[in-house]
Amino acid sequence: MGNRRPLIAGNWKMYKTPQEAADTAKQLVEQVREVADVDIMIAPPFTALESVSRVIKNSPVALGAQNLYWEDEGAYTGEISAPMLKSAGCQYAIIGHSERRQYFGETDKTVNQKIQAAIQIGLKPVFCIGETEQEREAEQTLSVLDKQVRKGLERLLPEQLDTLIIAYEPVWAIGTGKTATEDQAQEVHQFIRSLIEKSFGNDLSKSIRILYGGSVKPDNILNLMAMPDIDGALVGGASLSADSFSRIIKFKG
Ligand code: 13P
């Protein structure tokens, strides 16, 4: 974990109505009221941003979006822009999640455009990268990540990246119950940090937060957080209940 402030983020994916989301968020706020040394974020579906935003006001829980489109406005049916998310109360935006790359045709190039749009408006991007099972078996993990980082952050300057967060989510560990071991995750996180150092310098590589995602649960978070280059978690399934998500947030006990 180094000396960086941990971030525990919940990605609610396509779950919960506005009312269900507000109910869970309300329970969460009650359970984490005393937490002061961990940043907390939840990313509900777009339709629940407003209801959740109302119940997390003045709490340690911040709001995030799961995606955005890079133009500010225009004839782009079905899309939501970064300024719209900002005005809906979002502080963070998850960008380039593997499910978006896999099912919705996102590429390193569109991910790059989205990161630029988020930074421009002052949303903190949670930039997702990760290899598939096939790529890991073919020993391509590091080259895949190298390409995703290089292309995803193309044309950005170190001073623009001080709010950027990277989430390493091995695709084979998402929703499968198969977590990377803490040693496997640490090895990759250290590699990602070295990529940042090479492209953007030592200062950013030391300060940037790199989250782990993929079957994070209350019973494996502590070992993951004990690793020097793991600065938090991006949690899917286990963030949908306030009880299990708050146990992850309170990993220190
Ligand atoms: P799970 O925690 O359900 O494996 O999902 C991880 C994820 O995709 C978070 O973005």
Side-chain angles (χ1 to χ4, degrees):
M1 195 166 81
N3 54 6
R4 293 166 293 271
R5 190 176 158 86
L7 168 63
I8 305 288
N11 174 8
W12 286 359
K13 307 193 179 184
M14 199 174 73
Y15 291 99
K16 298 185 188 292
T17 63
Q19 185 61 55
E20 289 164 351
D23 291 347
T24 306
K26 195 157 179 237
Q27 291 166 12
L28 183 68
V29 164
E30 279 156 20
Q31 294 176 13
V32 301
R33 211 172 273 292
E34 310 297 314
V35 175
D37 50 0
V38 176
D39 287 341
I40 305 165
M41 179 268 265
I42 47 179
F46 291 135
T47 46
L49 287 174
E50 200 204 338
S51 67
V52 170
S53 152
R54 259 186 275 122
V55 299
I56 64 178
K57 209 166 265 166
N58 303 320
S59 86
V61 181
L63 193 63
Q66 297 177 19
N67 182 31
L68 56 78
Y69 189 64
W70 58 82
E71 296 290 347
D72 286 356
E73 60 178 14
Y76 302 103
T77 302
E79 295 298 314
I80 310 271
S81 73
M84 289 171 177
L85 295 170
K86 185 87 201 254
S87 64
C90 290
Q91 293 182 37
Y92 296 84
I94 299 172
I95 295 176
H97 190 281
S98 64
E99 286 150 16
R100 299 224 44 95
R101 295 179 190 251
Q102 206 178 337
Y103 306 131
F104 303 101
E106 293 211 11
T107 63
D108 292 327
K109 183 162 188 281
T110 59
V111 169
N112 177 261
Q113 287 170 288
K114 291 180 179 198
I115 291 175
Q116 301 207 32
I119 290 171
Q120 180 97 22
I121 200 75
L123 286 170
K124 299 173 191 159
V126 179
F127 167 36
C128 300
I129 55 175
E131 81 287 1
T132 63
E133 182 151 40
Q134 216 179 4
E135 288 162 343
R136 177 163 280 261
E137 276 167 9
E139 298 187 359
Q140 291 167 345
T141 299
L142 302 187
S143 62
V144 165
L145 295 170
D146 178 60
K147 178 167 166 282
Q148 289 175 339
V149 169
R150 236 178 331 103
K151 301 258 181 206
L153 300 181
E154 211 162 63
R155 286 184 300 277
L156 286 154
L157 303 169
E159 57 269 28
Q160 295 177 286
L161 299 182
D162 57 348
T163 63
L164 182 102
I165 294 138
I166 295 179
Y168 168 58
E169 300 203 305
V171 178
W172 48 270
I174 295 178
T176 57
K178 276 195 233 171
T179 333
T181 64
E182 54 270 19
D183 292 323
Q184 269 173 331
Q186 165 58 25
E187 185 192 349
V188 173
H189 281 227
Q190 192 174 25
F191 172 74
I192 296 166
R193 208 175 288 288
S194 76
L195 292 177
I196 297 296
E197 181 172 15
K198 234 187 317 168
S199 301
F200 301 101
N202 188 49
D203 285 357
L204 188 69
S205 83
K206 289 264 176 314
S207 63
I208 198 163
R209 292 186 288 185
I210 307 176
L211 315 183
Y212 171 78
S215 299
V216 173
K217 304 276 181 282
D219 61 7
N220 59 24
I221 184 71
L222 189 59
N223 288 346
L224 288 162
M225 292 304 289
M227 305 314 277
D229 288 298
I230 300 181
D231 306 311
L234 183 55
V235 186
S239 73
L240 291 169
S241 112
D243 284 349
S244 65
F245 194 44
S246 66
R247 282 166 61 208
I248 294 173
I249 292 164
K250 296 190 221 173
F251 64 93
K252 289 180 191 155

